[in-house]
Amino acid sequence: MEKPPLRDYTAKNAASAPPLLNTLTPSRRTSSNRAFAAVYTCAIVALFYRHTQTLLSSKTLVSFYVTLTLFVSDLILAFIWASGQAFRMRPVYRKEFPENLEKVVKTSDLPGLDVFICTADPYKEPPISVVNTALSVMAYDYPTEKISVYVSDDGGSAFTLFAFMEAARFAAHWLPFCRKNDIAKRNPDEYFATDYKMSSETEDIK
């Protein structure tokens, strides 16, 4: 029995494969980053070896403590540098395809989403900014029954409370408007600060 050609087999698998949700492309800087990290590591090891030799050959207590202090400080700096190298060892570029999500996952299977927005001082954090953040999150392109937005006002400001009472009234117009017109910028402040399509509906909402 003859086996199907490899080209036909690959094409069949590609046709039956689910649509991509994201792609990942390694960065060209990976090799240079790793080479730099290797050279830098050798330099650090040489520096520590030098410190060790100096500590062992110290003849006075003052020189010993000075060298020990330098050794500890270099050790801390080396740890900070090493802990920041993880994302440089294999940098990648990702591209997402959210339009394919409905083809792979059912809407009923999407996880619940809880968003916490914290504020404290209505003078340092103007309520209008917090309100815009909450409204933009509530207008996400996500099932409304699966998203919950919580606002924590540590300052207990009556001004912030009044702002959100007004925002609740505004949301009754803003959220349906965003979903109906597929608005990309769902932050009201950002939307009306840029060029938007003039219509009687947008003017009423503004």
Side-chain angles (χ1 to χ4, degrees):
M1 182 178 180
E2 294 184 0
K3 294 182 179 180
L6 181 60
R7 182 179 301 175
D8 295 343
Y9 181 77
T10 304
K12 183 179 179 180
N13 282 356
S16 61
L20 291 174
L21 295 179
N22 67 85
T23 58
L24 186 148
T25 306
S27 174
R28 297 178 181 178
R29 301 195 307 268
T30 301
S31 299
S32 59
N33 286 356
R34 292 179 179 178
F36 174 80
V39 173
Y40 204 85
T41 301
C42 293
I44 291 175
V45 171
L47 179 63
F48 287 164
Y49 177 78
R50 174 62 179 173
H51 279 315
T52 303
Q53 292 295 322
T54 306
L55 279 172
L56 295 177
S57 61
S58 296
K59 296 181 180 181
T60 63
L61 194 61
V62 174
S63 63
F64 176 83
Y65 280 115
V66 169
T67 306
L68 181 62
T69 303
L70 293 175
F71 178 78
V72 173
S73 62
D74 286 337
L75 186 64
I76 294 173
L77 292 175
F79 173 77
I80 295 174
W81 174 83
S83 62
Q85 296 306 303
F87 68 94
R88 293 190 177 95
M89 291 297 98
R90 191 173 182 268
V92 296
Y93 297 100
R94 297 180 184 273
K95 185 177 181 181
E96 298 79 20
F97 305 98
E99 64 275 5
N100 292 336
L101 185 61
E102 295 181 355
K103 303 176 183 177
V104 178
V105 182
K106 295 180 181 179
T107 303
S108 58
D109 294 335
L110 291 174
L113 182 62
D114 293 328
V115 181
F116 289 84
I117 301 173
C118 299
T119 183
D121 190 339
Y123 298 100
K124 294 182 179 179
E125 299 171 318
I128 187 63
S129 299
V130 184
V131 163
N132 274 284
T133 302
L135 288 172
S136 61
V137 172
M138 293 169 62
Y140 277 173
D141 186 12
Y142 205 78
T144 55
E145 68 277 5
K146 289 182 175 289
I147 185 170
S148 301
V149 182
Y150 303 90
V151 179
S152 173
D153 182 14
D154 295 339
S157 170
F159 187 27
T160 303
L161 177 61
F162 175 75
F164 272 92
M165 291 173 60
E166 292 297 315
R169 297 172 55 191
F170 176 70
H173 304 280
W174 176 248
L175 302 185
F177 172 75
C178 289
R179 296 188 177 95
K180 175 184 175 182
N181 298 280
D182 195 19
I183 303 299
K185 293 184 178 180
R186 304 198 173 192
N187 183 313
D189 195 25
E190 290 292 329
Y191 176 76
F192 290 111
T194 57
D195 295 332
Y196 59 92
K197 186 177 180 181
M198 299 286 292
S199 67
S200 59
E201 186 178 13
T202 55
E203 287 303 306
D204 289 342
I205 292 177
K206 183 177 181 180

